[in-house]
Amino acid sequence: MRCMSSDPHYKQVQTLLQASLPEGGVIADAAGLRPYECDGLTAIRQQPWLVVLPETEAQVAAVLRICREHDVPIVPRGAGTGLSGGARPHARGVVLSLAKMNQIIEVDAHNCVARVQAGVRNLAISEAASAHGLYYAPDPSSQIACSIGGNVAENSGGVHCLKYGLTVHNVIGARVLTSTGQCLELGGKVYDAPGLDLLAVLCGSEGMLGVITEVTVTLLPRPPAVAVLLAAFGDVEAGAAAVANIIGQGIIPAGMEMMDKLAVQAAEQFAHAGYPLDAAAILLIELDGCDEEIDHVCNTVQRLLETAGAYQVQVARDQADQQRLWKGRKSAFPAVGRLAPDYYCMDGTIPRRRLGEMLRAIEELSREYQLPVANVFHAGDGNLHPLILFDANIPGQLENTEEMGGKILELCVAMGGTVTGEHGVGVEKLDQMCVQFSATELTQFHGLKAAWDPAGLLNPDKGIPTLTRCGELGGMHVRQGQLPHPDLERF
Amino acid sequence: MSNLLTQAGTQLSEQVQAAKAAGRRLIINGSGSKRGWLPNFGDANGELLSTSEVRGIVAYEPEELVVTALAGTPIRELEMTLAQQDQMLAFEPPQFYAQGTVGGMISSGLSGPSRPWFGSVRDALLGISLVNGAGECLNFGGQVMKNVAGYDVSRLVAGAFGALGVVTAASLRVQPRHQQQQTLHLEMNCAAAVRFCRSLAQQYNPVTGTWWHDGVLSIRLGGSEAAVSASVQKLGGQAANVGTLWQDIRDHKHEFFKASLQVGAHQPSAPLKLCRVILPPAAPQDLPGVEAASLAVEWAGGLRWLWHDEPQQVRAWAESVGGWVWVLGEAASALGNLSREHLALMTEIKKAFDPAHLFVSPLNFAVVETADEPAHAH
């Protein structure tokens, strides 16, 4: 970085940025930059040239204009909780943190919406809306810390998205700045917006299309009645069958989570949630609705669980019991983290009916690579989080883990699924993108990006791999479980 | 099964490539049922690219809540298949003149009375197969509910009226049908109806549709038997056997949508136009000079239908409260109040998918640069 600080070009840009931002709005010293070296994917680190902390939309626009004029890459950053390295800095670039734009502009209960700045924490929205009996439904596990701007950029999910949808389903408006610093207002407090649905494509665009400064989210009334059921199974496939039966009966639970034996044992040791330690898998099901219907639904689901082979079903009707049952699941990641020095979290999605097949394949890979795997699974929507346990201090283990993880993701694609359900591609899954998409599809993605950001300065080298990268990998394209075509594009 | 998909893609891709080679432009057409909404096809030069022969359900997994259908599949056929498994398209796609295809449903992005509670077409869309302006077959999204790999092109294509390419097939999230459905009638004026709907929206209840017209608010409830009957008790009003009311609203077969009946009731200074007014749902209905008979309110206040002889007035009012107006039959109005900057970006996106401007879409973002139409436009 020393050479950059003495380079007159960079020096000039830094001066311009400092002039556009309030005192302390530009971080340039090594100690100050350190917290921005990585996001939640801590294995991948890079010190940025500068970090900027604008406090207003006009300041964000000024930063974008200066960077555009001087050809400096920009990496937008929310709370830095992302799990795919989407906010990994660029060595010659600026990290644009939205953390200081943290004002809740308005809770409009009549229209059931809230207008908030991008840096507002996910949970803070529900807290602000609670006075009206309303809440913001998407609840990624990092909701205490993660920001709504980051949620939009990643199209974050959460445990309740089977019933209540992802971020894209719960956001109806946004203000976004393009790489030229121009502000576009998308949607509003209205259900449909005219023209192309720019807001939909902005959701999950990982900071590569524009910088989100403000978001309008929809708020829902809290369901008056909630029940949480825990079912223990002697084998995983019986649990998967139970999930299919419940949905087959026309019941859409608010949440439906599955954990395998290793995950259950780790979570129980950590959280003392009362999970049965002898279970091969447990299902955690949250049902919600009105007071008059909850008993009936609860009984139906209990019966379906038992029919599918659950040997134990606990029903929690009061809040304390419900929180205890959820606590195990919610602490599953840190709990598994205690089993080994490091763990690697995967995020593939598969059609649910192929769960058994997938878990057997993971077991085989686990044996082959000699790396234990704990599985946590959003059972309702097929989103799988295998956690591979390893020790980064043992030479070669990180590489082995990444290789094994890559194979799991490729299996997800082969089974008709996707390499990422909710964590995003970032820098982590670029190689697997070559497996999921053809060269023409990737080219189309790059075309869409260029329409928004012709200079390519917004979060470069993320999300969509270059064709050269895919060619070097010699990646093969497997779609819908078919064998690879012999006539596939290779580079 | 996926053979069907490949064949459909190849068939449409060949047609697109042939048109491209010959310098002809294409007008994508399903059943033509929504043409009255955006009728500027008439003066456009291009030949019809029909998707109606590319039809059939490619895959349906009721327990995964996902169906994949080819573009030309009639919506009605798809809904019948889903109904056999007690499932449905929750966004209630309109079927004007009892017609409509899956491709048209996606391209138009129109949703029915359940829109505020169950989302729109794009919300249910999980993946698409698309042939772009280069004649390339592309797949985006997939058959799973959670998928953040790559840009969400599927949802960008929803409502794009064919501007970005021709949809070959789509995968959609489906929902279980409601065990019980009941409609209540409550007599009240429009202002009271909007307020009542907004108070309903702030409480947990099984509302799946609202319709106010001519002094009566109809509220549709759907869900478990227990939830629906509890809600009927709570809301009061009169439980009514409404027959096909909600389908008639969805498909514009309801009397309100018949222009001839409207003309009889007024002495308009100009022909009445049907305005689709999208507003923040709680916005008061305070446009002066509108008679109750010329007004209908859906989506718990978020959608107002207005017969008016001066759409400009309606537009000014709607925009002043944060909404927009689509005057049916006036293609330009489908772009609402978009700024030049919006249109310029949309034009660039269109170019990224269809650089030669092969697809004639009734959504013409390039209003700012119509002068430089492509040379082979005719």
Side-chain angles (χ1 to χ4, degrees):
Chain A
M1 297 308 108
R2 188 167 300 137
C3 59
M4 283 170 71
S5 57
S6 57
D7 181 319
H9 172 75
Y10 282 96
K11 229 174 159 156
Q12 186 201 354
V13 177
Q14 187 173 340
T15 311
L16 286 169
L17 289 170
Q18 271 158 345
S20 314
L21 294 168
E23 184 81 33
V26 176
I27 300 173
D29 63 295
L33 291 174
R34 195 154 302 128
Y36 296 91
E37 281 179 355
C38 66
D39 56 15
L41 183 70
T42 53
I44 299 174
R45 286 171 187 275
Q46 168 67 53
Q47 186 176 315
W49 167 48
L50 292 178
V51 173
V52 295
L53 295 151
E55 293 174 13
T56 65
E57 189 179 271
Q59 290 168 8
V60 177
V63 169
L64 287 166
R65 274 194 297 270
I66 294 166
C67 289
R68 171 73 185 260
E69 232 163 79
H70 295 87
D71 209 27
V72 174
I74 297 145
V75 178
R77 177 182 169 111
T81 56
L83 293 170
S84 56
R88 184 206 61 186
H90 192 284
R92 291 180 302 100
V94 163
V95 168
L96 171 54
S97 167
L98 280 303
K100 287 200 169 173
M101 293 187 59
N102 58 1
Q103 298 303 305
I104 293 175
I105 300 163
E106 176 192 22
V107 175
D108 177 350
H110 294 294
N111 285 308
C112 296
V113 296
R115 227 154 45 87
V116 303
Q117 286 188 316
V120 168
R121 290 175 307 114
N122 172 297
L123 193 60
I125 302 173
S126 291
E127 286 166 357
S130 68
H132 305 280
L134 302 171
Y135 76 113
Y136 174 61
D139 57 346
S141 56
S142 56
Q143 71 175 149
I144 300 172
C146 63
S147 68
I148 189 68
N151 288 176
V152 173
E154 299 293 323
N155 191 15
S156 305
V159 293
H160 291 105
C161 58
L162 174 67
K163 185 166 181 178
Y164 295 104
L166 306 159
T167 303
V168 69
H169 301 109
N170 290 277
V171 162
I172 59 170
R175 287 172 70 87
V176 58
L177 299 183
T178 63
S179 62
T180 55
Q182 197 166 61
C183 179
L184 289 174
E185 191 154 1
L186 308 180
K189 293 180 180 177
V190 292
Y191 288 117
D192 285 345
L196 293 180
D197 197 340
L198 302 180
L199 185 57
V201 79
L202 193 66
C203 287
S205 63
E206 303 195 20
M208 300 184 288
L209 301 184
V211 178
I212 300 151
T213 55
E214 188 185 305
V215 182
T216 304
V217 301
T218 52
L219 302 172
L220 297 178
R222 283 238 178 246
V226 176
V228 177
L229 288 83
L230 177 138
F233 292 90
D235 72 283
V236 175
E237 291 191 40
V243 172
N245 292 346
I246 290 166
I247 290 175
Q249 284 293 305
I251 297 167
I252 307 287
M256 193 145 52
E257 298 289 303
M258 190 186 266
M259 294 161 76
D260 74 356
K261 190 164 197 152
L262 189 53
V264 168
Q265 288 175 344
E268 181 55 25
Q269 271 175 29
F270 189 88
H272 311 293
Y275 291 172
L277 290 169
D278 53 347
I282 64 160
L283 259 184
L284 205 55
I285 298 173
E286 183 172 304
L287 301 167
D288 65 9
C290 67
D291 293 316
E292 291 83 357
E293 68 184 334
I294 197 83
D295 287 335
H296 180 71
V297 183
C298 218
N299 292 338
T300 308
V301 169
Q302 183 163 2
R303 203 184 59 241
L304 289 167
L305 289 168
E306 284 161 358
T307 311
Y311 67 84
Q312 183 194 337
V313 179
Q314 295 179 36
V315 182
R317 295 300 296 271
D318 70 74
Q319 218 185 352
D321 280 346
Q322 290 170 8
Q323 278 172 352
R324 174 177 56 81
L325 290 181
W326 270 119
K327 194 180 168 206
R329 165 63 186 89
K330 287 189 172 170
S331 54
F333 286 19
V336 168
R338 297 210 306 190
L339 300 180
D342 301 282
Y343 73 88
Y344 195 69
C345 175
M346 315 301 305
D347 174 45
T349 303
I350 52 168
R352 210 176 343 90
R353 64 183 179 281
R354 306 195 70 165
L355 174 65
E357 198 183 333
M358 186 65 184
L359 290 178
R360 278 194 298 277
I362 292 176
E363 229 176 277
E364 244 165 69
L365 285 169
S366 171
R367 264 197 302 275
E368 185 188 328
Y369 281 85
Q370 297 281 300
L371 295 166
V373 179
N375 285 293
V376 178
F377 186 49
H378 299 302
D381 49 44
N383 189 199
L384 188 66
H385 294 312
L387 304 166
I388 307 173
L389 306 180
F390 70 104
D391 182 351
N393 286 327
I394 300 174
Q397 272 220 348
L398 174 62
E399 291 72 21
N400 275 341
T401 302
E402 285 177 338
E403 189 180 301
M404 177 178 158
K407 285 191 177 170
I408 293 175
L409 295 185
E410 283 159 28
L411 268 171
C412 289
V413 177
M415 289 185 182
T418 175
V419 299
T420 174
E422 58 184 356
H423 295 171
V425 174
V427 288
E428 186 201 19
K429 302 178 197 84
L430 282 168
D431 290 345
Q432 284 75 39
M433 287 289 284
C434 306
V435 180
Q436 186 162 338
F437 292 99
S438 70
T440 44
E441 287 154 356
L442 294 172
T443 304
Q444 188 66 79
F445 283 143
H446 287 299
L448 177 59
K449 154 86 173 171
W452 284 77
D453 175 25
L457 290 175
L458 279 177
N459 218 5
D461 312 323
K462 308 271 176 67
I464 315 291
T466 61
L467 299 188
T468 317
R469 181 181 183 127
C470 294
E472 280 164 3
L473 276 172
M476 284 190 296
H477 185 145
V478 186
R479 174 162 282 146
Q480 288 164 0
Q482 294 177 329
L483 287 172
H485 280 277
D487 57 346
L488 257 171
E489 297 94 338
R490 299 259 212 138
F491 306 90
Chain B
M1 285 204 304
S2 51
N3 257 351
L4 257 180
L5 201 62
T6 315
Q7 275 169 20
T10 310
Q11 189 182 329
L12 288 170
S13 153
E14 279 169 1
Q15 284 175 270
V16 171
Q17 280 169 1
K20 190 175 165 230
R24 284 176 281 126
R25 299 177 78 182
L26 293 170
I27 298 169
I28 303 164
N29 189 59
S31 69
S33 65
K34 295 173 185 92
R35 215 178 259 203
W37 284 54
L38 293 169
N40 76 337
F41 288 116
D43 50 11
N45 296 303
E47 63 173 30
L48 282 190
L49 174 62
S50 173
T51 57
S52 62
E53 280 167 36
V54 178
R55 60 192 276 180
I57 290 168
V58 179
Y60 177 30
E61 302 286 344
E63 284 165 4
E64 304 270 347
L65 303 171
V66 178
V67 67
T68 304
L70 298 179
T73 312
I75 302 170
R76 177 182 277 195
E77 195 177 303
L78 175 59
E79 288 192 325
M80 275 162 54
T81 305
L82 300 179
Q84 284 166 9
Q85 302 293 328
D86 267 329
Q87 293 185 336
M88 61 176 183
L89 298 173
F91 53 88
E92 297 186 288
Q95 297 168 53
F96 304 125
Y97 319 107
Q99 290 182 57
T101 61
V102 167
M105 169 181 96
I106 287 160
S107 299
S108 68
L110 298 175
S111 316
S114 61
R115 165 75 179 90
W117 300 273
F118 291 94
S120 65
V121 183
R122 67 97 137 153
D123 290 327
L125 195 57
L126 301 176
I128 54 158
S129 299
L130 180 82
V131 175
N132 65 8
E136 295 164 336
C137 296
L138 309 170
N139 291 291
F140 299 104
Q143 287 85 41
V144 290
M145 266 162 235
K146 279 163 99 178
N147 187 351
V148 291
Y151 301 115
D152 199 342
V153 173
S154 312
R155 292 193 169 104
L156 182 65
V157 166
F161 277 94
L164 306 182
V166 51
V167 175
T168 312
S171 294
L172 295 150
R173 157 97 190 240
V174 299
Q175 294 277 3
R177 286 219 290 192
H178 305 300
Q179 213 177 62
Q180 182 93 348
Q181 193 157 293
Q182 180 73 262
T183 298
L184 298 175
H185 289 325
L186 290 99
E187 280 186 31
M188 60 182 84
N189 67 26
C190 181
V194 169
R195 281 197 304 272
F196 190 74
C197 285
R198 294 325 300 158
S199 71
L200 281 181
Q202 291 173 61
Q203 297 154 25
Y204 188 90
N205 53 47
V207 175
T208 64
T210 68
W211 168 257
W212 178 90
H213 178 55
D214 226 359
V216 179
L217 174 64
S218 305
I219 300 171
R220 183 177 60 180
L221 304 164
S224 70
E225 277 178 42
V228 171
S229 54
S231 198
V232 168
Q233 291 259 308
K234 198 170 86 186
L235 298 176
Q238 203 185 338
N241 183 1
V242 293
T244 57
L245 173 72
W246 297 100
Q247 289 96 306
D248 291 349
I249 295 166
R250 181 193 72 186
D251 300 342
H252 288 199
K253 277 165 66 186
H254 189 278
E255 294 206 318
F256 170 80
F257 294 101
K258 289 183 184 140
S260 54
L261 294 178
Q262 288 294 328
V263 175
H266 305 264
Q267 276 95 40
S269 61
L272 291 172
K273 299 271 191 179
L274 182 57
C275 301
R276 181 180 186 258
V277 188
I278 308 265
L279 293 182
Q285 183 58 46
D286 55 3
L287 177 68
V290 175
E291 292 179 46
S294 312
L295 175 66
V297 181
E298 269 189 78
W299 295 2
L303 171 59
R304 323 262 171 110
W305 295 100
L306 254 162
W307 285 99
H308 209 278
D309 51 1
E310 289 184 62
Q312 277 307 335
Q313 269 184 30
V314 182
R315 186 170 296 143
W317 164 70
E319 289 176 11
S320 73
V321 294
W324 65 285
V325 179
W326 180 343
V327 183
L328 266 63
E330 290 182 7
S333 76
L335 292 173
N337 52 351
L338 291 173
S339 69
R340 280 178 85 88
E341 288 78 20
H342 284 98
L343 293 171
L345 176 54
M346 289 176 190
T347 303
E348 288 307 310
I349 294 173
K350 156 95 177 154
K351 279 185 196 158
F353 283 84
D354 179 22
H357 207 307
L358 197 66
F359 300 112
V360 183
S361 166
L363 284 192
N364 186 10
F365 318 118
V367 282
V368 281
E369 41 174 74
T370 33
D372 54 59
E373 288 286 322
H376 61 258
H378 196 284

